[in-house]
Amino acid sequence: MNTTTDMMIDPWITDFLIFAAVGFFAQLIDGALGMGYGVISSTVLLASGVPPAHTSASVHAAKLFTTAASGASHMLHGNVDRRILVILCIAGSLGGIIGALVLVNVAAAAIRPFVFCYLGVMGLVIIWRGLMFPANKTVPGKFIAPLGAAGGFLDAIGGGGWGPVVTSSLIGAGAPPRYVVGTVNAAEFVVTAAVVSAFAVFLVAGVWAESHGLGSHLVAIAGLIAGGLPSAFLAGWLLKIAPRKPLMIAVGLLICSIAGWEISKGLF
């Protein structure tokens, strides 16, 4: 193979391997904590210069595969509360569709700083929740529905946030951590499918004004899927053995650091 061909192939392989590594570790964390895949993947893509709407669409396309595997794993291991699952699926899907509609109608340059601020806040939320171990109790449906809608909306806007918002809030309200993580992961597949469908409809209908260049992120999407799937199948097992407190704090610090760096570049 000639040198010119090697120079053309190497960058694609390098990018694929980088995003595969990001996808693997992000899903490994997500499977154990019920949060992390979307926020970590989105933070890395945004830091690479990918526009917010493209980032959200790319991450959700990858999550369509990883959440299916993760949700199935949690259901097989008996980590799912069906009552909470149904409420989260309906409310989260509605919130996600509205969030996607807002995102595709706002200029990338205008929303980018706000998305990084949001991701930074999510990092702080993860750290805070990592320090708390609330008692187990039943959470009322009237609390779950608006929480699911808010989680779906913010997830679509930021490309991640379903887990940090919904998982942390349910655990903070006193729901059993094991069933919260399993149920939120299972519901995330339905919410992700709704968000991806919304982006597809907006693209076909011509509503998404800045959709050009979306195909250039296929390598990143493929890498996130390839890396995330192996970890997703381990999700149910990881939930039983992972050290939650130190892992959550480490993830929160990582997200805050990246988001803080990107915000500082825009200020100075």
Side-chain angles (χ1 to χ4, degrees):
M1 188 176 293
N2 59 52
T3 305
T4 303
T5 304
D6 289 340
M7 291 177 65
M8 291 174 62
I9 294 176
D10 287 346
W12 293 87
I13 295 176
T14 301
D15 288 347
F16 176 83
L17 292 176
I18 289 173
F19 284 108
V22 170
F24 180 83
F25 288 108
Q27 185 58 51
L28 196 69
I29 293 165
D30 195 279
L33 301 178
M35 63 184 79
Y37 183 84
V39 178
I40 293 173
S41 300
S42 295
T43 304
V44 172
L45 282 174
L46 285 166
S48 302
V50 180
H54 288 199
T55 292
S56 182
S58 299
V59 171
H60 279 89
K63 282 169 64 177
L64 198 58
F65 295 87
T66 59
T67 55
S70 180
S73 177
H74 282 299
M75 292 187 77
L76 288 173
H77 285 84
N79 300 331
V80 176
D81 183 313
R82 297 184 184 278
R83 179 185 70 92
I84 297 177
L85 177 66
V86 172
I87 299 173
L88 286 180
C89 285
I90 297 172
S93 296
L94 292 174
I97 292 171
I98 295 172
L101 179 61
V102 171
L103 188 61
V104 300
N105 283 285
V106 178
I111 200 172
R112 184 180 176 87
F114 295 101
V115 173
F116 269 117
C117 287
Y118 161 72
L119 291 172
V121 171
M122 286 299 99
L124 293 175
V125 169
I126 292 174
I127 294 172
W128 179 45
R129 296 300 184 185
L131 298 173
M132 298 179 64
F133 292 90
N136 298 340
K137 61 183 180 182
T138 301
V139 180
K142 63 181 181 181
F143 171 78
I144 299 172
L147 175 64
F153 178 83
L154 293 172
D155 190 75
I157 290 289
W162 172 256
V165 172
V166 181
T167 300
S168 61
S169 296
L170 287 175
I171 292 177
R178 173 184 171 184
Y179 293 103
V180 167
V181 173
T183 304
V184 171
N185 268 271
E188 189 173 13
F189 169 72
V190 178
V191 176
T192 298
V195 173
V196 170
S197 299
F199 277 121
V201 170
F202 300 150
L203 179 63
V204 173
V207 177
W208 191 350
E210 297 185 359
S211 60
H212 58 277
L214 186 62
S216 62
H217 310 309
L218 292 177
V219 172
I221 295 172
L224 290 174
I225 293 172
L229 277 176
S231 298
F233 284 114
L234 297 173
W237 174 70
L238 285 171
L239 180 57
K240 298 178 180 179
I241 67 167
R244 297 181 59 82
K245 184 175 180 178
L247 194 55
M248 288 183 76
I249 294 173
V251 171
L253 289 172
L254 173 63
I255 295 168
C256 286
S257 298
I258 297 175
W261 170 253
E262 290 298 322
I263 293 171
S264 68
K265 288 198 301 184
L267 295 175
F268 302 104

